[in-house]
Amino acid sequence: MSDKVIINNHTYDFIMVSCVIRQLEDTVRYLKDVEEFTTDKLLADMTEYAVEDLNKISGKLAGYLLDNYEGED
C-alpha cells in the first residue's frame, strides 16, 4: 500500500489554480519593482500594462475559485 494521499480532481484543480494565482502575484511584484527602478520610459510603460493585465487575470482566477469552491465545516 502506498503512503500517498489520494485527492480528487476538484481538489487538484483548486490547488493548481491557487498556485497560478500565487505565481501571478509574485510576477506582479517583480514587474512593479522593474517599473519603479527602470530609467527606460518605454519599459516602464510596458510593465505598467503588463501589471494591469496580470492583475485582471489573477482576479478572474480568484473569482473562479470563489464561485466554484466552498469550504466544508
Side-chain angles (χ1 to χ4, degrees):
M1 176 149 186
S2 174
D3 290 337
K4 292 182 179 180
V5 175
I6 305 295
I7 59 172
N8 64 32
N9 287 338
H10 296 294
T11 303
Y12 179 80
D13 290 345
F14 180 86
I15 292 168
M16 291 298 106
V17 172
S18 297
C19 289
V20 168
I21 291 170
R22 176 59 191 216
Q23 289 297 316
L24 287 170
E25 291 171 348
D26 289 345
T27 303
V28 165
R29 278 192 290 280
Y30 171 76
L31 287 174
K32 283 182 178 181
D33 286 346
V34 170
E35 182 182 353
E36 182 179 344
F37 295 109
T38 187
T39 57
D40 185 336
K41 174 72 171 130
L42 180 59
L43 180 60
D45 290 344
M46 290 172 51
T47 55
E48 181 181 348
Y49 292 122
V51 165
E52 289 174 12
D53 289 343
L54 291 173
N55 279 328
K56 287 178 190 174
I57 293 167
S58 183
K60 287 181 181 183
L61 287 171
Y64 167 80
L65 290 181
L66 291 173
D67 291 345
N68 293 290
Y69 295 89
E70 63 183 49
E72 189 174 79
D73 293 332

